Amino acid sequence: MFELSVVAIVAIVVTARTIRGYMAYRAQVHELQVAQNENNSDALATHVKQLESRIEVLEKLVTDQGYELDKKIRAL
């Protein structure tokens, strides 16, 4: 009976350590994913700002009166 108690206690301790290790591993994975998402969102925000700047330049070119005149000349 004593041996069975020892085996049960050892099994409980090993199971608890395994679960604790797994939970720590999952927490680390989650932290890395959050950090990666923050880096991706920063890169995306920078890319969006660059695209908005390019669109502004294109809008200025298209609405410029010289562009309209050039378009009319080419149509002739």
Side-chain angles (χ1 to χ4, degrees), residues 10-61:
V10 170
I12 291 170
V13 170
V14 168
T15 302
R17 285 188 179 182
T18 302
I19 291 172
R20 186 182 313 146
Y22 177 74
M23 296 302 280
Y25 164 76
R26 292 298 301 160
Q28 286 178 339
V29 167
H30 179 70
E31 288 175 13
L32 290 173
Q33 287 174 339
V34 167
Q36 184 178 15
N37 288 342
E38 288 175 358
N39 290 340
N40 286 346
S41 65
D42 290 343
L44 287 174
T46 302
H47 189 65
V48 166
K49 286 180 183 178
Q50 290 173 348
L51 290 174
E52 287 174 345
S53 296
R54 293 178 70 183
I55 289 172
E56 286 178 20
V57 170
L58 290 173
E59 286 175 343
K60 287 178 185 177
L61 287 173

Side-chain angles (χ1 to χ4, degrees), residues 60-74:
K60 287 178 185 177
L61 287 173
V62 171
T63 57
D64 187 14
Q65 290 181 357
Y67 177 80
E68 290 295 322
L69 180 61
D70 186 45
K71 191 175 173 182
K72 289 177 183 177
I73 292 172
R74 288 183 186 196

